[in-house]
Amino acid sequence: SASAELAALTPSTGQTGVVDEDSDAFLTLRGTDASLNIFNLTAAQWNSASFGKTRVIDVPVGARVLINVAGETMGALSGSVSFGAAGCANSFTCGDASDYASNVMVNYYQATSIVMGAFEHEGSMIAPLAAMTVTGGVINGQAALASVVSSSGFEFHLRADNGADFSDLLSSEP
């Protein structure tokens, strides 16, 4: 229920993030709110089928980031989630993940299937309906999934400082 409720949030003025770039190589998400930035994306925007896609999140350090991704099938083959200021995607001078990842939640609220391979997922993820199949790569954050089949060195790094708290946005305890 928490996943569906987060997906249905109506952001306050200034909290809606924008997509600055959407290509095969980069997806750049930019938000300016110092406390909360919400991005509503489609699976087509988030997914990468074969080429490594860098998903750059450009928000103020310390701001919480909620990325709601609509769609039943997710695929991330190679690529990563990176953080940084304007121009990061083009100059590869992204910010340190530890400054941002603890405040990021990707909500795959409709996903029933997630396939990841050689993908670096910074921040936590929630996909309560999804069966995830992973080969190589890592999730640096908390993960809530229906099931996981892992092979070839995929790693889950549950870190005490990863996993933004969004309970204040929910009508009841998750």
Side-chain angles (χ1 to χ4, degrees):
S1 65
S3 178
E5 197 169 338
L6 289 171
L9 283 176
T10 303
S12 298
T13 303
Q15 292 179 331
T16 302
V18 298
V19 175
D20 268 1
E21 179 179 5
D22 186 2
S23 68
D24 288 340
F26 292 102
L27 175 65
T28 303
L29 307 177
R30 192 167 324 280
T32 58
D33 193 272
S35 62
L36 175 65
N37 294 277
I38 299 174
F39 300 90
N40 294 308
L41 306 176
T42 65
Q45 289 173 298
W46 187 258
N47 289 349
S48 62
S50 59
F51 183 75
K53 185 176 197 173
T54 301
R55 293 140 184 96
V56 179
I57 301 171
D58 181 9
V59 298
V61 173
R64 290 185 298 171
V65 176
L66 174 62
I67 303 170
N68 292 310
V69 184
E72 291 184 7
T73 303
M74 299 293 144
L77 303 174
S78 70
S80 64
V81 175
S82 297
F83 306 92
C88 172
N90 297 318
S91 67
F92 297 100
T93 56
C94 299
D96 186 62
S98 65
D99 291 336
Y100 299 90
S102 62
N103 293 320
V104 174
M105 171 74 71
V106 182
N107 181 19
Y108 301 100
Y109 62 98
Q110 294 175 329
T112 56
S113 173
I114 299 175
V115 176
M116 288 187 186
F119 182 69
E120 186 176 345
H121 193 291
E122 292 288 347
S124 294
M125 67 183 317
I126 182 171
L129 309 174
M132 187 163 90
T133 304
V134 292
T135 305
V138 63
I139 294 175
N140 287 321
Q142 299 179 42
L145 301 150
S147 66
V148 177
V149 175
S150 175
S151 63
S152 299
F154 192 87
E155 299 175 6
F156 289 91
H157 295 162
L158 176 59
R159 298 186 174 144
D161 62 343
N162 274 13
D165 183 0
F166 290 94
S167 59
D168 62 311
L169 304 177
L170 303 173
S171 62
S172 61
E173 274 297 305

